[in-house]
């Protein structure tokens, strides 16, 4: 039995190395990205529900972008706080801001996709750039950097949406590591010609891509997924590219308690159930292989079975993974995570297992 487990462990290590070198290496070891301004007309779309304090701080940062031709479409999704009033003041202050007021609809109550659809239909530009109400760009060149990756063929651009750093917070390191790992995955698969998701904190696509797939209609019943489910449906090898220059990043405040973050990740994981079959398989294989790697390490070393070979395989796997994630973290300006990689990786793996088990027995809460 231990011999079988040992060979199974070897297979798991080979699978892990295939992911890190064969897939994730496409992003980690890729060339730095250049920015060539396109100056194409852009609608920046922000959907907010009860985000009064965030929009006061972040909408001016969008309005002050250094870009010649853009409008900002602000969508108030039936907020119960002062979000709408704040938006109305911005509409008076900035001539390129347009306001979309969404009232509660019995058929689509609390459905962000319905609100976004109204905003997209109200937009006047051919290219759409999305971010969330609690996000802000890293520079005044954000629109320039994201739109620079559009070409005649590339009409979907996947960007990076990170989280602010918090000193002396292990939870913050865990949250940011998970965000980096997710970005490395969707960036790498996009470079491999198999894009499967993006994040609404930083996503751009040509208006016609939305209508080519009839918007969100195929997954309108799923409360989340206005970003990743849309990309999973609409993106392909020919029309999708990525943007990872530092000027293109957005950031938002991370959750400050483990329970809040855990609930957020439950929503994200539940949405993945609606991905295409191949995408569910490749994600499942990766996360399952991570879990089995650690479980088999504990089992084999506890019996000291082929312990020299086991330690050699552990060292090989960790060296390769550390290098790949280190280069990737550097590109995404998350260099401090390199040192914490072994710790936060183990924490993340068992958190994901907990999320999977919890989602089996209860449904996560979605849009406010």
């Amino acid at each position: 039995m231990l011999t079988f487990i040992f060979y199974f462990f070897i297979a798991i290590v080979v699978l892990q190395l295939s992911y890190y070198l064969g897939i994730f290496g496409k992003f980690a070891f890729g060339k730095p990205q250049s920015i060539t301004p396109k100056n194409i007309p852009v609608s920046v779309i922000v959907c907010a529900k009860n985000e009064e304090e965030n929009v006061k701080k972040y909408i001016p940062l969008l309005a002050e972008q250094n870009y010649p031709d853009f409008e900002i479409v602000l969508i108030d999704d039936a907020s119960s706080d002062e979000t709408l009033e704040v938006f109305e003041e911005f509409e008076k202050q900035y001539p390129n801001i347009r306001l979309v007021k969404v009232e509660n609809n019995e058929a689509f109550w609390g459905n962000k996709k319905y609100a976004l659809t109204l905003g997209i239909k109200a937009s006047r530009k051919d290219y759409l750039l999305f971010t969330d109400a609690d996000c802000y760009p890293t520079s005044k060149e954000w629109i320039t950097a994201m739109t620079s990756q559009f070409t005649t063929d590339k009409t979907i651009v996947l960007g990076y949406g990170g989280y602010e750093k918090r000193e002396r917070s292990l939870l913050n390191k865990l949250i940011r590591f998970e965000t980096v790992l997710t970005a490395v995955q969707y960036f790498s698969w996009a470079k491999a010609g198999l894009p499967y998701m993006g994040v609404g904190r930083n996503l751009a696509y040509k208006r016609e891509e939305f209508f080519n797939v009839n918007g969100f209609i195929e997954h309108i019943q799923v409360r989340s997924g206005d970003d990743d489910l849309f990309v999973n449906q609409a993106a392909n090898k020919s029309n999708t590219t990525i943007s990872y220059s530092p000027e293109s990043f957005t950031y938002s405040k991370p959750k400050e308690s483990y329970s809040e973050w855990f609930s957020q990740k439950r929503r994200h994981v539940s949405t993945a159930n609606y991905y295409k079959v191949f995408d569910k398989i490749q994600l499942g294989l990766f996360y399952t292989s991570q879990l089995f790697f650690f479980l088999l390490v504990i089992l084999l070393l506890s019996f000291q079975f082929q312990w020299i070979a086991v330690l050699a395989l552990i060292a090989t796997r960790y060296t390769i993974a550390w290098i790949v994630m280190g280069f990737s973290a550097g590109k995404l300006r998350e260099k401090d995570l390199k040192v914490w990689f072994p710790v936060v990786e183990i924490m993340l793996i068992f958190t994901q297992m907990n999320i999977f088990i919890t989602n089996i027995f209860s449904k996560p809460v979605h849009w406010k």
Side-chain angles (χ1 to χ4, degrees), residues 49 93 97 101 113 127 129-130 137 156 167-168 170 183 201 216 225 246 267 270 277 280 295 301 314 330 336 344 367:
K49 189 176 182 70
Q93 182 178 356
I97 284 184
K101 304 175 185 179
K113 293 174 185 175
Y127 291 86
L129 177 55
F130 297 84
I156 298 176
E167 297 297 330
R168 300 173 184 173
L170 185 57
R201 300 187 302 276
F216 305 124
R267 295 193 296 270
S270 67
V277 174
K280 289 192 287 187
L295 293 178
L301 290 182
I314 294 171
D336 63 302
V344 291
W367 184 240

Side-chain angles (χ1 to χ4, degrees), residues 3-233:
T3 301
F4 171 78
I5 293 173
F6 175 68
Y7 283 115
F8 183 50
F9 176 66
I10 294 175
I12 290 294
V13 173
V14 170
L15 180 60
Q16 283 271 291
L17 295 180
S18 298
Y19 272 98
Y20 280 105
L21 286 177
I23 303 299
F24 304 160
K26 294 181 182 297
F27 173 70
F29 307 128
K31 297 179 180 179
Q33 198 167 48
S34 60
I35 299 175
T36 303
K38 299 290 176 61
N39 295 334
I40 54 181
V42 175
S43 292
V44 177
I45 298 181
V46 182
C47 185
K49 189 176 182 70
N50 301 327
E51 295 280 3
E52 176 186 354
E53 295 304 319
N54 283 326
V55 297
K56 285 180 180 178
K57 292 185 292 185
Y58 300 143
I59 298 306
L61 299 180
L62 300 181
E64 294 165 4
Q65 283 289 297
N66 181 24
Y67 198 78
D69 187 2
F70 76 102
E71 67 172 358
I72 302 175
V73 180
L74 301 179
I75 309 167
D76 174 63
D77 189 10
S79 297
S80 58
D81 65 359
E82 300 299 314
T83 297
L84 177 58
E85 287 74 9
V86 175
F87 277 176
E88 288 174 337
E89 289 302 314
F90 282 139
E91 187 179 31
K92 296 175 184 177
Q93 182 178 356
Y94 299 102
N96 63 335
I97 284 184
R98 303 182 62 244
L99 178 57
V100 176
K101 304 175 185 179
V102 181
E103 297 181 358
N104 281 327
N105 181 301
E106 185 175 351
F108 301 105
W109 188 85
N111 193 320
K112 184 180 179 182
K113 293 174 185 175
Y114 172 67
L116 278 172
T117 299
L118 297 182
I120 291 170
K121 289 183 176 180
S123 63
R124 296 174 178 172
K125 309 296 184 180
D126 288 333
Y127 291 86
L128 312 177
L129 177 55
F130 297 84
T131 190
D132 287 341
D134 61 348
C135 293
Y136 60 90
T138 56
S139 74
K140 291 185 178 181
E141 307 302 321
W142 170 59
I143 300 178
T144 299
M146 285 293 289
T147 58
S148 71
Q149 303 309 313
F150 279 120
T151 66
T152 302
D153 297 322
K154 302 300 183 182
T155 51
I156 298 176
V157 180
L158 312 179
Y160 176 64
Y163 288 99
E164 294 177 348
K165 297 179 182 179
R166 294 285 187 271
E167 297 297 330
R168 300 173 184 173
S169 170
L170 185 57
L171 173 62
N172 179 259
K173 292 177 175 59
L174 174 61
I175 292 173
R176 291 191 295 115
F177 174 74
E178 189 276 335
T179 304
V180 168
L181 178 58
T182 299
V184 170
Q185 288 177 287
Y186 68 74
F187 279 158
S188 298
W189 282 105
K191 287 180 72 69
L194 293 167
Y196 74 92
M197 71 160 285
V199 293
R201 300 187 302 276
N202 202 2
L203 173 66
Y205 49 83
K206 197 171 183 180
R207 183 185 174 91
E208 67 183 27
E209 291 290 355
F210 182 78
F211 295 105
N212 284 344
V213 295
N214 295 317
F216 305 124
I217 194 65
E218 290 295 324
H219 45 86
I220 194 69
Q221 79 286 357
V222 184
R223 296 293 291 276
S224 58
D226 55 276
D227 45 11
D228 55 343
L229 289 184
F230 172 80
V231 172
N232 196 259
Q233 179 187 15

